[in-house]
Amino acid sequence: MDSKRRPNPLFLPAAGLFLLLFVLPMAGLVVESLRTYVPGRIGSAEGAPFTAANYAELVKPSFAVFFFQTLRLSLAAALVGVFCALPLAHWTARKLSPRWRTLAIGFFVTLMFLSVLVRTYALELTFGAVGPLGPALRAIGISTNSRGYIEILVAAGLLHYIIPMSTLTLLATFQNVDPRLTDAAQVLGAPAWKAHLTITLPLCIRGILAAFLFGFTFSISAFVIPMILGKGRVLFISNLIYTRFSEIANYPSGAAISVVLFVLAMLLVYVMTHLVNKRWAQ
Amino acid sequence: MTSLTRRQALQTAAATFAATSIGFMSRAAGVPELTAVEWGGGVVDAMKLIAAKQDKVTVNWVLHQGGSGAILPKIKATWPAAEYDYVAGWEGSFNGMLKEDWLVPVTVDMVPNLADIPEKIIVKNAKGQWMAVPRAVGGIYFAYRADTSPIEIKSIEDLFDPSLKGKLCWPGPTQSMMLQIVALALHAGGDENNMDPGWALMKKLAESGNIGRIAVTDTDFTTSLTSGETVGGFYSEPQLTSVAAAFPVTRLTKTEGMPVFLYQSGFAVFQNRPNLQATLGFINFAISPEMSEIYAATAGEAPLNVKAKTPDNLKHLAFTPEEFDKFVYVPDFNVVLTNQDAWAKRWEDEIAPLI
């Protein structure tokens, strides 16, 4: 075997940890999802018979509604997040002096470290039914208790995290693109916007995809944000999983939903990555 | 300038470590340290007051996160190595623990003050053994803020009034063991064994748009009512006590057609713990007449010890036999517990898409 193809032994500790902390628990989850649950018990009994019923019960319209609600809000938040982050990252990478760029990066990193709970409650207190903006929103006919408004608030909660994260991801991407390429295009007569759209963005597409996928995977697995801002009315799949595990103790059902969410999320990530690679392979 | 050699630094560190260790060890050796799970708010405040009045044990307080059933998976994950000496709960969570065979049976010999607790309220296993120590009785019922509610709520029909749009705080599918739907079922001619009428009414309520918040934790309810986001709902007395501390609250405990559910709050004592005697001693102290009165005054649950006096602010929880028959409904908690899974899924299927 070619020594270059042999795995580096330094890879083993990380592989061992991955096996211990991810593969084994996931395998346990898959086994639990196939166990029979007896109502009133806490989880499945030891040696409970195997069944596919926990998966079969997910094939119903209500689960699809929860899934598409999670998917819809996650996609929207990830897309809006990337659109907001693109100009921010471009401006930071290209327009700021090194000193101000360092300060801007420090600011985005600080935002990432701010507790999710703090951001979420800040939004709830400001834009919630009894927040200072509540009366103003109601005065222009926006009900702070309407479902549409709650969905927007949940998406805003997700954006709080997605925008700084996407900005930092895209910052590195923009810095790796040689600015002389767009300069050359402009020298040859292309307007600035065209040079940007046809040269900079295509060269950044993988970074943009990475930023989008970071935002999307963060959103699809979000738990605290929909729990607090969703007022118990806008629920994500993670909230259903929590209910199954922690409140009604139906571990097999919770495990089945977790496995389905994991598989669907991986599938979506694969499809998007595949499409981008296929379109921009050259 | 004072200089410190490496040897001096190490000696100082060792001396400091030894001194603190001796202090810790003497404290640990002198007084057993219990780990107890309690509800937050007034309940844990009351238990802290009680703990402060004795010196036989010290207590590490752990709070329930969400409903009292949420602790059960955490216990199961570590069983048989129990992490808690006692867990505060009620009939619903006690039944789950009984099915898992986690609890220590209790007797009057072990907890002498149990002699002053009505026997019929004590949770028993199939062999008739007493499996939990009741400390107080609480209630779950409809209530509203009299100062902010646009209407005077007198019946379940009033919950559909258009003036209450977005103004009701309704318990989530894992709160109050879904007794809120049992209440609707009772109003519509059903009960816990025949829930279809209740679910039909629940759908109607969800479609009315009157539910502004689904409370998934106890604090959701108190925050929603105290902030003025909503004006009323169906919840348990400790949360209503918190709201009533600052605002006028009308509790519908003696209104015809508005069912009241009483539950016992108490202690479940766990097997495989090193401090069983100390735990039982502390619990015995906590249900004594004097401590029961302290608990009632702070936690908002009426004492079960027959020698303790019910405080005036909990008179709405005192029922004459006639009132008890008329307003209080005692469901079959085994049916309620066994159906939690099915009811939670039914909520997700039929109700959640409507709110």
Side-chain angles (χ1 to χ4, degrees):
Chain A
M1 191 179 170
D2 184 358
S3 64
K4 283 183 183 170
R5 284 174 170 264
R6 235 174 264 156
N8 189 328
L10 289 174
F11 173 71
L12 286 175
L17 274 178
F18 183 73
L19 186 75
L20 187 71
L21 300 179
F22 182 76
V23 177
L24 282 180
M26 281 304 289
L29 205 67
V30 172
V31 172
E32 183 69 19
S33 73
L34 294 166
R35 296 281 188 191
T36 302
Y37 174 70
V38 177
R41 282 196 64 94
I42 298 159
S44 64
E46 208 170 317
F50 287 105
T51 175
N54 301 311
Y55 288 95
E57 71 177 18
L58 301 181
V59 187
K60 58 184 178 183
S62 64
F63 182 73
V65 166
F66 282 114
F67 181 74
F68 283 110
Q69 178 169 275
T70 307
L71 196 67
R72 180 168 53 85
L73 287 175
S74 300
L75 277 173
L79 278 174
V80 173
V82 169
F83 273 111
C84 293
L86 269 170
L88 269 176
H90 187 264
W91 176 71
T92 310
R94 294 284 162 81
K95 306 287 181 192
L96 292 183
S97 66
R99 186 162 175 264
W100 280 104
R101 191 180 306 137
T102 308
L103 282 173
I105 292 171
F107 173 71
F108 292 128
V109 171
T110 308
L111 284 182
M112 297 278 293
F113 280 103
L114 198 61
S115 156
V116 173
L117 270 179
V118 172
R119 302 155 193 258
T120 310
Y121 276 111
L123 275 174
E124 167 78 353
L125 289 173
T126 311
F127 295 98
V130 292
L133 293 183
L137 290 166
R138 281 191 292 275
I140 56 171
I142 298 172
S143 166
T144 49
N145 269 338
S146 68
R147 191 179 178 86
Y149 183 77
I150 295 172
E151 286 191 358
I152 290 171
L153 210 53
V154 171
L158 298 172
L159 284 174
H160 248 252
Y161 191 84
I162 293 174
I163 290 176
M165 182 174 63
S166 300
T167 305
L168 288 171
T169 309
L170 290 169
L171 199 60
T173 307
F174 280 122
Q175 281 180 323
N176 284 334
V177 174
D178 191 340
R180 287 175 300 180
L181 292 172
T182 45
D183 291 346
Q186 285 180 268
V187 166
L188 292 171
W193 63 268
K194 198 171 181 183
H196 185 68
L197 289 180
T198 55
I199 296 173
T200 311
L201 284 186
L203 287 172
C204 293
I205 197 69
R206 285 195 173 83
I208 294 172
L209 176 70
F212 172 78
L213 290 178
F214 280 148
F216 177 67
T217 47
F218 164 77
S219 302
I220 208 167
S221 58
F223 169 70
V224 173
I225 293 167
M227 190 181 90
I228 294 171
L229 296 175
K231 297 188 178 186
R233 293 166 64 190
V234 174
L235 296 171
F236 276 23
I237 295 287
S238 307
N239 302 110
L240 290 192
I241 293 169
Y242 176 78
T243 301
R244 292 282 200 280
F245 274 108
S246 282
E247 301 280 358
I248 55 177
N250 185 344
Y251 291 9
S253 177
I257 301 176
S258 308
V259 170
V260 169
L261 180 65
F262 176 72
V263 170
L264 289 174
M266 292 302 285
L267 205 62
L268 276 167
V269 169
Y270 173 77
V271 168
M272 285 179 202
T273 313
H274 180 71
L275 285 177
V276 167
N277 281 338
K278 198 175 164 189
R279 171 71 180 78
W280 278 279
Q282 304 308 313
Chain B
M1 184 181 155
T2 308
S3 63
L4 190 67
T5 64
R6 188 173 60 179
R7 178 168 293 183
Q8 285 170 325
L10 286 172
Q11 282 172 342
T12 308
T16 307
F17 176 75
T20 51
S21 300
I22 289 166
F24 175 77
M25 282 187 291
S26 63
R27 192 180 55 170
V31 181
E33 199 169 63
L34 309 184
T35 302
V37 183
E38 280 290 354
W39 283 289
V43 175
V44 74
D45 290 345
M47 290 309 296
K48 283 179 181 172
L49 284 176
I50 291 169
K53 290 193 177 292
Q54 53 82 53
D55 55 8
K56 300 277 194 302
V57 297
T58 58
V59 187
N60 287 320
W61 302 104
V62 177
L63 298 185
H64 282 296
Q65 306 289 320
S68 58
I71 195 81
L72 303 181
K74 292 167 194 155
I75 298 168
K76 173 120 180 175
T78 59
W79 193 258
E83 290 180 48
Y84 312 113
D85 291 290
Y86 83 74
V87 173
W90 62 309
E91 286 91 337
S93 55
F94 292 158
N95 274 315
M97 295 172 192
L98 271 181
K99 289 193 175 179
E100 297 295 324
D101 193 22
W102 290 341
L103 305 180
V104 174
V106 287
T107 61
V108 172
D109 290 338
M110 296 156 85
V111 183
N113 283 325
L114 262 175
D116 298 325
I117 303 281
E119 187 189 333
K120 67 177 180 182
I121 203 163
I122 297 174
V123 171
K124 301 171 188 76
N125 64 9
K127 294 178 196 164
Q129 292 172 299
W130 298 356
M131 301 306 292
V133 180
R135 65 179 166 196
V137 62
I140 310 177
Y141 33 76
F142 291 95
Y144 65 95
R145 261 182 69 174
D147 59 331
T148 52
S149 178
I151 60 165
E152 188 186 347
I153 299 171
K154 292 184 206 152
S155 72
I156 284 181
E157 289 306 321
D158 289 337
L159 302 177
F160 300 90
D161 193 290
S163 67
L164 288 174
K165 201 158 208 59
K167 291 291 176 191
L168 295 180
C169 183
W170 197 256
T174 56
Q175 294 285 299
S176 308
M177 295 200 81
M178 293 265 204
L179 293 177
Q180 60 274 24
I181 317 273
V182 177
L184 297 181
L186 289 168
H187 178 72
D191 57 27
E192 70 273 25
N193 291 298
N194 173 24
M195 289 283 278
D196 285 342
W199 285 108
L201 215 50
M202 186 65 237
K203 273 189 200 172
K204 195 177 153 196
L205 187 61
E207 284 168 337
S208 73
N210 285 5
I211 297 175
R213 177 177 284 272
I214 298 293
V216 291
T217 63
D218 293 346
T219 46
D220 275 353
F221 181 80
T222 46
T223 307
S224 186
L225 257 73
T226 50
S227 68
E229 179 188 58
T230 56
V231 299
F234 178 93
Y235 237 81
S236 54
E237 181 54 43
Q239 282 66 53
L240 292 167
T241 300
S242 299
V243 180
F247 303 102
V249 171
T250 303
R251 290 137 161 127
L252 301 169
T253 56
K254 293 176 185 177
T255 305
E256 205 159 354
M258 300 296 258
V260 173
F261 298 89
L262 295 183
Y263 64 88
Q264 65 155 294
S265 152
F267 309 94
V269 182
F270 279 74
Q271 299 171 22
N272 307 333
R273 290 293 295 172
N275 297 317
L276 179 61
Q277 289 311 316
T279 306
L280 293 171
F282 177 68
I283 289 172
N284 187 55
F285 177 72
I287 62 167
S288 64
E290 301 79 21
M291 295 306 116
S292 291
E293 286 172 15
I294 288 174
Y295 179 84
T298 309
E301 292 175 340
L304 271 171
N305 190 312
V306 293
K307 292 177 181 166
K309 205 176 136 197
T310 301
D312 287 342
N313 66 332
L314 291 177
K315 291 294 183 201
H316 55 271
L317 274 178
F319 296 91
T320 63
E322 294 77 31
E323 286 174 335
F324 194 94
D325 289 342
K326 197 170 176 185
F327 303 119
V328 177
Y329 183 73
V330 182
D332 182 338
F333 275 107
N334 202 34
V335 171
V336 172
L337 177 76
T338 309
N339 278 296
Q340 289 302 295
D341 181 53
W343 291 349
K345 287 174 183 167
R346 191 163 179 178
W347 173 281
E348 288 165 10
D349 287 346
E350 298 177 18
I351 308 300
L354 303 175
I355 48 179

